[in-house]
Amino acid sequence: DGGITQSPKYLFRKEGQNVTLSCEQNLNHDAMYWYRQDPGQGLRLIYYSQIVNDFQKGDIAEGYSVSREKKESFPLTVTSAQKNPTAFYLCASSIRPQGRETQYFGPGTRLLVL
Amino acid sequence: QQQVKQSPQSLIVQKGGIPIINCAYENTAFDYFPWYQQFPGKGPALLIAIRPDVSEKKEGRFTISFNKSAKQFSLHIMDSQPGDSATYFCAAREGNSWGKLQFGSGTQVVVTP
């Protein structure tokens, strides 16, 4: 089965703690993306990566970090600098970063603050 | 500032009705307009997409109408079913860009039996 997997489904963060959200795809897609979803605000882009070992900031990158060491993996770390991390986080991928390529989304991780 | 404005925020229709969701934009560099459907607790999935050189596109019971001069586009769900109850997002992307999507704020559609 080809697709995007995200884990965990739910994640709890304590004050001052960094947490890492996993995103893996077996679609052989070059481009990968992280979005944050808040009620009534649609999806906002956090980071994107067009190719391995390269990534760029999106609209709301502050307090987040990513890495892209492998084509199939694009983990997102929510750092302690992100003061309002409670949200639904979505990972997506597309065959190529340019043009009208469809973005396929994973099932999401819900992050909650204790 | 949201580059794609979507309305209404929510909508309730009876089975068989036609929910209509509207989106508007200002950036004339946008040249690709997808709609995504999202069920609770799941990631969005591409439903249908349109380019600005086409005024209407149909896929099954879903139709996009596009008005380039007004910079508006809308989604119609014909003969709606309770299984269509979901949140719908419009989006737009600039041509010749690396592919960044600008999303609307979403519309929660409830279709009652």
Side-chain angles (χ1 to χ4, degrees), chain A residues 82-99:
Chain A
Q82 173 48 245
K83 298 305 178 189
N84 183 23
T86 298
F88 190 47
Y89 290 87
L90 289 158
C91 178
S93 71
S94 60
I95 294 175
R96 286 177 292 275
Q98 295 186 346

Side-chain angles (χ1 to χ4, degrees), chain A residues 55-68:
Chain A
F55 48 84
Q56 306 293 330
K57 292 182 179 180
D59 297 323
I60 55 164
E62 187 175 348
Y64 300 97
S65 66
V66 293
S67 63
R68 186 90 187 273

Side-chain angles (χ1 to χ4, degrees), chain A residues 9 33 35 37 40-43 45 48 50 58-59 88 90 96-108 110, chain B residues 2 9 31-32 36 38 41-46 51-52 87 89 93-94 96-106:
Chain A
K9 188 171 182 178
Y33 314 81
Y35 291 90
Q37 185 175 18
Q41 291 195 47
L43 281 68
L45 184 66
Y48 64 96
Q50 300 181 54
D59 297 323
F88 190 47
L90 289 158
R96 286 177 292 275
Q98 295 186 346
R100 303 185 181 112
E101 302 294 342
T102 299
Q103 287 188 22
Y104 296 88
F105 285 82
R110 189 164 297 281
Chain B
Q2 205 138 31
Q9 191 173 2
D31 76 340
Y32 174 65
Y36 282 82
Q38 184 180 30
K42 306 291 184 186
L46 180 68
R51 298 177 305 180
T87 299
F89 293 95
R93 182 158 63 199
E94 285 187 29
N96 299 320
S97 73
W98 61 266
K100 177 180 174 180
L101 284 172
Q102 295 287 347
F103 282 87
S105 54

Side-chain angles (χ1 to χ4, degrees), chain B residues 14-64:
Chain B
Q14 286 191 329
K15 178 182 172 181
I18 305 175
I20 300 172
I21 305 168
N22 301 299
C23 289
Y25 65 96
E26 289 297 327
N27 186 349
T28 55
F30 287 150
D31 76 340
Y32 174 65
F33 302 87
W35 284 87
Y36 282 82
Q37 179 189 53
Q38 184 180 30
F39 293 105
K42 306 291 184 186
L46 180 68
L47 189 62
I48 186 173
I50 197 168
R51 298 177 305 180
D53 53 350
V54 175
S55 61
E56 185 176 275
K57 183 174 181 180
K58 293 182 183 180
E59 280 189 12
R61 295 183 292 104
F62 298 92
T63 299
I64 302 178

Side-chain angles (χ1 to χ4, degrees), chain B residues 71-102:
Chain B
K71 297 198 281 286
Q72 295 175 349
F73 57 110
S74 59
L75 177 71
H76 296 61
I77 306 175
M78 314 304 282
D79 186 28
S80 59
Q81 303 295 314
D84 296 329
S85 298
T87 299
Y88 293 82
F89 293 95
C90 60
R93 182 158 63 199
E94 285 187 29
N96 299 320
S97 73
W98 61 266
K100 177 180 174 180
L101 284 172
Q102 295 287 347

